Every structure is written in structure tokens, then in C-alpha cells.
Amino acid sequence: MANTQDLLDEVNKLQAASDAAGLKALEDHADKKVRKAARKAIHVLRSKGVEIPEQARSWAEASTQSMRRHAGPIAMLDMTASPGVTRLTLSLPNDDQGAALFMAILDPNHRVLDFAAYYQTDGQQARTGRDWLRDADGRAVSPTWVAQRILWARAYTHGNNIALPPALDDALPRLTEFLADDATVDARPEPTFLDESVAEVEPAASDLGEILMSANVHSWPVLFDGNELFDKLGKKMEGVEQDEVSPEDRLAHIMDASKGDEALREGLQGAIANALDDVAVVLWLDGSLAEARRVRKLTAEMREADAPEEVDGVVNVVQLQLTSAAMEQMRRQGGFGHDHDHDHDHDHDHDH
């Protein structure tokens, strides 16, 4: 999971300190890598003559905490709640028993659309952690990053005089306590855990449009003020039959119409880049590492460029935004609909 490296570092510290009891507490951890490292460290200490506590403790000697089995802080990100928005899930073990499960829905501009809190038993939380790790083949989102994202979104929402879900303010002390010295978020939190994971991965050379289509980007609402761009394209295409325009010519028309469009630039470097960063995380979780690196590279270049509309691959993003606008117009005129997937399956009890 995202805190795997921290736990592996802790295993090394415990081994260096010959703290066999501390290692025993980790040998049944939900994270397979942590379990393996702890058991290996215990073996090393045993070979050095360090006394290892008995694995089975009597019920009279065991404290409630020593018998607990949870996954530690865990987090997940998905984009299935609604097109273009991100659902962040964070589970933090309580001091005594169980865990607090937080779910936040954020839009690409960092606005908090919804927030809810639930209670998980230790068993539910451990099972959730195992499921997430299994589904993502050991990859997991950083709980610290997710908590910081939630705080960043809360600050943006509050700063723009938008009402916050009451449950978020109720959870604020817990989130800040978890983050401790990292609770002050001065800039948009970057997914550095993702960057570190794919640092040696070559960006995918496959068609960027297809990668984005696989991530459902074509279903997003338009994330910038497109009036100027739509007008330019409309004038360019006057009298032209759509079936007479090749895909290459269509992209060329979009690139030409996009040049110098300040509203588009603002969207590309803001909401669109934000949402695409989350797409990169989703691709990474799904095992599409090269594609995740490609999308993350795109967002970095978009943010750094003076003319982001000219960055390689951006035309594919703009084309999908235009497709979305056309689909929305067809829905309004033709009346055909679609269903958003609002289903989610998390192991929790409602805590109201």
C-alpha cells in the first residue's frame, strides 16, 4: 500500500534495534511485502541469538491493541462516481478499535461535492486493505496524499464561499491529526508516489486519444469556457460535410483554432490537468504503467508550457472535450439519455 515503504523502513529500524516484539507486531500485517520483510528480520535476529517472543500469547497477557489486526492507514482513488469527478477514500484506524472511513467527491477544480464518514471494524478494514492491494497488484494510493487532497479541496471550497458538507468539518480534527506536520497544505498536492513508481517506465507510445478514451475522458463535461473555440471551429467548418473531413484534417483544424485561446489555456493548466492527473493514478492502479506515465508527462508539460494548447498530444484532449460538447448537444436536442454509475462497494457500516 502507499505506506508500504514507510513500514519497510520501520522494519529495518526494528531489526537494527533488535526489537523482536515490534517485528512480531508486523509479521501478520495485511501488506504481503511488510509481512515478508518482518518475518525475514525476525529470522535474522533469531540467527543472532536474539530472544523472539512466542507467537501465541495467552489471552490473559494479550492487550486489546496487541490482538488487533488492521491494515494501517489505507486509501483509494477512483473516477466511477460521475464523469470528470474523483472519489477519494481514506480509512484511518482508531486508537482503540475499528477505523474511520472517509469518502470525498471532488470536482476537477478542487471543489468538494460530497463527503461522508463511516465506521469500519478492524476486520472490515483489514479486508478492505487486502482487497485493494490484490486488485491493484500491490500498488496503492498514498493515504497522506489523499488526506492532503481533501484538506486542499476543503480550503478551496471554503475560500470560494461554497457550502461544505457538515461531515467534512466533523472529520477535520482527525485528518489534521493524521497528517501532523504535513497538515498545512500550501500547494496542490502532487502524486509523487505515482511519479516515483513509474520513474523508470517508458511513456506509452500508443495513441493518446485511445488511452484517454479507455479512461472515459470523452464522457467528461467541458472543463473550460469553450465559446471562442466553438465559434472558430464553426466558422472553419461552414459548408463542409463532416464525412468529407479526414481525422488528420479534423485534428489540424482543432489545433489551428486552439492557438492563443486563453480560456482553453486556463482549462488545460487547471481543471483538465487536475482531472488527467487522477486518470494517471487510475491507469497506474489498473496496471497500465506506461500509459500512466504518458498521461502524467502530458499534464506536467501542459502546466509548464506558455502555450499548452501546442503541447504534443493536447489536441487529443481538446478533441474529446469537443466530442463531449457535441454529445451533450445531441442529448438536449434528441433526448437520448445515459446512466451514471453511482454504485460502489466498500466494506463499512454507516456511522451517523
Side-chain angles (χ1 to χ4, degrees), residues 1-192:
M1 57 190 59
N3 63 345
T4 294
Q5 190 57 54
D6 291 339
L7 290 170
L8 293 176
D9 292 342
E10 181 66 18
V11 168
N12 291 333
K13 292 177 184 177
L14 292 171
Q15 180 180 333
S18 297
D19 187 347
L23 291 169
K24 291 291 289 184
L26 293 172
E27 70 169 347
D28 291 322
H29 195 276
D31 190 322
K32 181 178 179 181
K33 292 182 180 179
V34 176
R35 289 199 305 272
K36 184 176 179 180
R39 291 169 184 175
K40 182 178 179 181
I42 289 171
H43 176 73
V44 171
L45 293 186
R46 183 180 285 114
S47 68
K48 293 181 178 180
V50 176
E51 183 178 353
I52 308 298
E54 289 295 326
Q55 183 170 357
R57 300 182 182 181
S58 70
W59 286 99
E61 294 173 347
S63 67
T64 302
Q65 291 302 310
S66 69
M67 299 302 296
R68 290 182 68 188
R69 290 291 182 268
H70 57 69
I74 55 176
M76 182 52 71
L77 175 151
D78 70 79
M79 301 186 75
T80 60
S82 188
V85 305
T86 298
R87 177 166 53 204
L88 298 173
T89 308
L90 176 66
S91 180
L92 303 176
N94 297 325
D95 290 337
D96 48 1
Q97 61 181 340
L101 179 68
F102 302 126
M103 292 185 191
I105 305 290
L106 312 181
D107 76 5
N109 284 309
H110 310 298
R111 185 163 65 96
V112 181
L113 302 179
D114 196 11
F115 185 90
Y118 307 94
Y119 173 82
Q120 288 182 304
T121 66
D122 284 340
Q124 288 175 331
Q125 206 254 3
R127 189 159 55 246
T128 297
R130 288 194 298 269
D131 290 346
W132 286 351
L133 282 171
R134 182 192 64 241
D135 294 344
D137 195 24
R139 293 175 295 276
V141 179
S142 163
T144 296
W145 178 73
V146 166
Q148 289 176 331
R149 281 282 302 274
I150 294 172
L151 289 184
W152 179 254
R154 180 191 177 278
Y156 172 89
T157 305
H158 178 72
N160 283 274
N161 296 315
I162 301 171
L164 287 163
L168 178 50
D169 280 343
D170 293 341
L172 188 58
R174 186 65 192 281
L175 292 170
T176 54
E177 177 188 24
F178 166 65
L179 289 172
D181 295 338
D182 296 322
T184 301
V185 185
D186 296 322
R188 175 185 170 276
E190 295 282 346
T192 54

Side-chain angles (χ1 to χ4, degrees), residues 105-323:
I105 305 290
L106 312 181
D107 76 5
N109 284 309
H110 310 298
R111 185 163 65 96
V112 181
L113 302 179
D114 196 11
F115 185 90
Y118 307 94
Y119 173 82
Q120 288 182 304
T121 66
D122 284 340
Q124 288 175 331
Q125 206 254 3
R127 189 159 55 246
T128 297
R130 288 194 298 269
D131 290 346
W132 286 351
L133 282 171
R134 182 192 64 241
D135 294 344
D137 195 24
R139 293 175 295 276
V141 179
S142 163
T144 296
W145 178 73
V146 166
Q148 289 176 331
R149 281 282 302 274
I150 294 172
L151 289 184
W152 179 254
R154 180 191 177 278
Y156 172 89
T157 305
H158 178 72
N160 283 274
N161 296 315
I162 301 171
L164 287 163
L168 178 50
D169 280 343
D170 293 341
L172 188 58
R174 186 65 192 281
L175 292 170
T176 54
E177 177 188 24
F178 166 65
L179 289 172
D181 295 338
D182 296 322
T184 301
V185 185
D186 296 322
R188 175 185 170 276
E190 295 282 346
T192 54
F193 65 94
L194 168 65
D195 296 333
E196 292 168 1
S197 177
V198 300
E200 304 302 321
V201 176
E202 190 69 22
S206 52
D207 182 76
L208 182 62
E210 292 182 4
I211 295 173
L212 298 178
M213 285 282 286
S214 73
N216 211 33
V217 173
H218 58 289
S219 72
W220 292 358
V222 177
L223 300 178
F224 68 99
D225 183 348
N227 290 329
E228 180 179 342
L229 179 59
F230 299 154
D231 287 345
K232 285 184 179 179
L233 281 172
K235 292 176 181 177
K236 278 182 172 293
M237 303 303 290
E238 281 182 0
V240 178
E241 293 294 332
Q242 289 295 321
D243 55 5
E244 296 178 358
V245 181
S246 69
E248 293 77 16
D249 286 343
R250 183 173 289 106
L251 289 178
H253 285 314
I254 294 173
M255 291 177 67
D256 186 53
S258 298
K259 289 181 179 179
D261 190 324
E262 291 299 329
L264 175 60
R265 288 179 176 179
E266 182 179 350
L268 289 171
Q269 295 182 320
I272 294 174
N274 295 339
L276 287 176
D277 271 343
D278 287 348
V279 165
V281 175
V282 171
L283 290 168
W284 175 72
L285 288 169
D286 288 344
S288 302
L289 308 189
E291 290 76 8
R293 179 73 191 279
R294 176 72 180 92
V295 174
R296 180 70 171 140
K297 178 175 180 288
L298 173 66
T299 62
E301 292 174 348
M302 284 163 52
R303 287 191 170 99
E304 294 170 359
D306 292 331
E309 73 277 11
E310 297 179 11
V311 168
D312 182 38
V314 165
V315 65
N316 297 109
V317 180
V318 179
Q319 182 182 36
L320 292 181
Q321 285 278 274
L322 294 171
T323 299

